[in-house]
Amino acid sequence: MEEYLLRQRDYLLSISRAMTARLDLPSLLRLIIEKAVEMLRGEAGLIALRGRDGDFHIRASYGLPTHTPPLFAPLLTDIPLLHVAHWPVPDLYARLQLVAASAGISLRQVVGLPLTLEDQLIGVIYVFRTRDTAFSANDRQVLSSFADQAAIAVRNATLYQRLAEEKGRLDAIIENSADGVLILNAQCHIQTINRALAEMTGWMPEQARGQPCQHVIALRNPQGKDICETGCPLQAFSDQNRLQVEGDIIRPDGHRTSVSITYSPLYDDEGTLVNIIGSVHNVTRFREAEEIKAMFISVISHELKTPVALIKGYANTLRREDAQWDQETVRESLAIIEEESDRLDRLINNLLEASRIQSGTLKLELSDVSIPRLATKVVERFRVQAAKHNLQLDFPPHFPTLLADEERLQEVFSNLISNAIKYSPDGGTIRVGGRVQQDHVELFVSDEGMGIPSTKQSRLFEPFYRVDSSLGRRTQGVGLGLFLCKAIIEGHGGRIWVESAPGKGSTFRFTLPLR
Ligand code: ADP
């Protein structure tokens, strides 16, 4: 007997050690119940922990057929909560008999003890015997000290689990944040980048891990210089709490994102820098808006200056009192004044329209429109100025009428045909036509002119964008035509795109829905 008791104590000690080393709660609970049963020479047992709802739920069992634990519910109700002194559980034997009968197992003896931590009941542990030998006072005492150890281990594992859950939640927030996030170690090497930053930099998170920050971020200034190379902005960290850096991140495929990065340091208890957290905000749209504003001013001043100078020059000359002008000169001068005023008028209208689109106040005036008739009208108007070009119309008979804004669609055809002429200086055929498809019509304007490189095609529809070429610089235009076309067509529920290659001509296509 003495030896058995000694063995029990040794056992208790070694198990306590094993328990405290285990942080995975389910496997810890399995270990506890298995060892408790062994130690008390029982045949079966179970552990129930108090859930957030205040009730007891079985979390591990030993020696019980798998379907039976739910039948042990009678042992989990009316458990004295307030004070351990109220233990054991009242009517324990009557409950045991009930459970044994419903589970069909001959359980004869039971010992139940609370798992408590700082006077708080966190769970209960039961050990059963199928034989008649009752649990002794010593068994109870051993189980009690075992339960104290077990409660501490359970608390540690629960805290660890909560910490892991918390970390999981934080990881999910970081991963799914629309802003880019990077976590650096104290040596400025990447520990983590999230999905948004992976997208901006083109680095996979696994590849980025362990890389020096500047390899992955490589922030450029507006002149394209690597800011990180000329002087790492993080060097200025020592005496500041937060640091903000702005620049461009350029992906290997050339995609550019303008960002504003806020770095915050993370120190440990002793004030040593452990991590630097960077929050990367995409400010591309804001930058673009600023660029458009700057472009607007430069384009406006340039494009307004020329016609105004011409108008003023001719008006001035005609007014000179010391000169006599023949009819022909007067007529030619006035024609130029009229032409330049028209140009000014068109430019001002386009600008007004562009600002309406950007403020979202463009309103369509809908009526029944025959597209072939409208296209023919516009083409006829252009025939006069396109002597070198062969303008062709290509519509099938019985083209359906559409509910559309006639004037605006006229503007679309006008812009596309005028571009087709402007950007095919050597002439060629310009075709304007359409096809009827299931629930929409597809219209096109094609030319055999200079074409557009594929890298530039996606930007054509941005306001003030012009492909930089010697012809482009020589032709009039402010880069608003296609922007307006796109807004008008999208306003009708259609879309516009271009098919083109340098030297091979361009085809602009757009769709309009049938009602
Ligand atoms: P703009 O003609 O006033 O410059 P647009 O918005 O109409 O402005 O066109 C934007 C740019 O797209 C033009 O500057 C030109 O570089 C290019 N582009 C448009 N249409 C064509 C075309 N048919 N062929 C070649 N380039 C074109």
Side-chain angles (χ1 to χ4, degrees), residues 87-356:
W87 278 70
V89 178
D91 311 324
L92 192 54
Y93 278 91
R95 297 187 199 205
L96 179 71
Q97 279 164 356
L98 199 70
V99 170
S102 67
I105 323 171
S106 67
L107 299 175
R108 299 279 172 72
Q109 296 292 329
V110 59
V111 57
L113 276 176
L115 289 173
T116 49
L117 252 182
E118 289 151 11
D119 274 351
Q120 291 275 334
L121 185 64
I122 62 163
V124 23
I125 178 165
Y126 286 114
V127 176
F128 308 106
R129 276 183 187 159
T130 50
R131 57 186 194 284
D132 271 331
T133 326
F135 288 103
S136 64
N138 173 66
D139 286 337
R140 210 171 287 281
Q141 159 105 58
V142 168
L143 186 60
S144 159
S145 29
F146 177 74
D148 288 346
Q149 294 295 323
I152 295 171
V154 167
R155 185 188 51 185
N156 288 348
T158 311
L159 284 179
Y160 183 77
Q161 198 176 34
R162 231 172 263 162
L163 213 66
E165 275 168 21
E166 210 56 57
K167 183 175 181 304
R169 219 183 340 249
L170 214 62
D171 284 349
I173 293 174
I174 290 177
E175 184 57 15
N176 297 310
S177 151
D179 276 347
V181 177
L182 76 157
I183 302 180
L184 305 176
N185 64 13
Q187 287 71 45
C188 294
H189 285 208
I190 305 267
Q191 279 187 348
T192 313
I193 64 170
N194 72 346
R195 203 178 315 162
L197 193 57
E199 176 72 16
M200 287 181 214
T201 56
W203 280 78
M204 303 286 281
E206 315 71 78
Q207 287 177 318
R209 193 162 306 133
Q211 293 284 339
C213 169
Q214 73 178 84
H215 280 187
V216 178
I217 305 295
L219 216 54
R220 314 269 162 167
N221 68 10
Q223 288 74 44
K225 269 226 151 62
D226 190 337
I227 299 175
C228 304
E229 222 157 62
T230 41
C232 171
L234 293 177
Q235 297 309 323
F237 229 155
S238 48
D239 41 60
Q240 289 177 27
N241 257 339
R242 272 156 79 92
L243 189 76
Q244 198 162 7
V245 190
E246 294 195 355
D248 289 348
I249 293 178
I250 301 173
R251 258 190 344 220
D253 65 3
H255 181 272
R256 172 191 299 263
T257 314
S258 298
V259 296
S260 160
I261 312 184
T262 310
Y263 291 101
S264 324
L266 212 68
Y267 299 100
D268 67 7
D269 296 347
E270 292 163 10
T272 315
L273 181 69
V274 195
N275 286 119
I276 298 166
I277 317 286
S279 162
V280 185
H281 190 54
N282 184 342
V283 294
T284 310
R285 287 207 155 273
F286 176 71
R287 270 290 144 68
E288 278 172 1
E290 290 209 317
E291 270 171 27
I292 287 175
K293 217 158 51 184
M295 192 104 81
F296 182 85
I297 292 167
S298 89
V299 165
I300 294 305
S301 38
H302 178 256
E303 289 293 313
L304 287 181
K305 255 183 153 159
T306 325
V308 169
L310 278 170
I311 292 170
K312 190 168 162 52
Y314 277 92
N316 231 330
T317 317
L318 290 180
R319 252 190 86 229
R320 269 168 58 179
E321 283 165 9
D322 57 339
Q324 286 290 321
W325 303 113
D326 59 70
Q327 284 289 325
E328 184 66 6
T329 316
V330 172
R331 221 187 352 263
E332 269 175 21
S333 305
L334 288 175
I336 291 176
I337 291 180
E338 192 177 6
E339 219 172 85
E340 293 303 316
S341 312
D342 282 347
R343 194 170 138 192
L344 274 181
D345 190 48
R346 269 199 310 277
L347 181 63
I348 291 168
N349 278 336
N350 278 352
L351 289 172
L352 281 176
E353 194 92 328
S355 91
R356 272 190 215 117

Side-chain angles (χ1 to χ4, degrees), residues 419-420 422-423 447 450-452 460 465-467 476-483 506 508:
N419 279 350
K422 273 196 305 192
Y423 301 108
D447 64 59
M450 60 188 285
I452 304 153
L460 291 186
Y465 184 79
R466 306 194 74 204
V467 179
Q476 276 183 14
V478 292
L480 276 180
L482 290 177
F483 171 69
S506 311
F508 283 84

Side-chain angles (χ1 to χ4, degrees), residues 303 350 415-424 445-453 456-457 459-469 471-473 475-485 498 500-501 505-508:
E303 289 293 313
N350 278 352
N415 277 331
L416 294 180
I417 298 169
S418 138
N419 279 350
I421 297 170
K422 273 196 305 192
Y423 301 108
S424 49
V445 174
S446 71
D447 64 59
E448 298 175 333
M450 60 188 285
I452 304 153
K456 305 287 163 68
Q457 291 175 10
R459 300 201 58 191
L460 291 186
F461 301 95
E462 291 172 14
F464 302 112
Y465 184 79
R466 306 194 74 204
V467 179
D468 192 24
S469 68
L471 175 67
R473 280 189 291 273
T475 38
Q476 276 183 14
V478 292
L480 276 180
L482 290 177
F483 171 69
L484 295 176
C485 289
V498 64
S500 180
S506 311
T507 302
F508 283 84

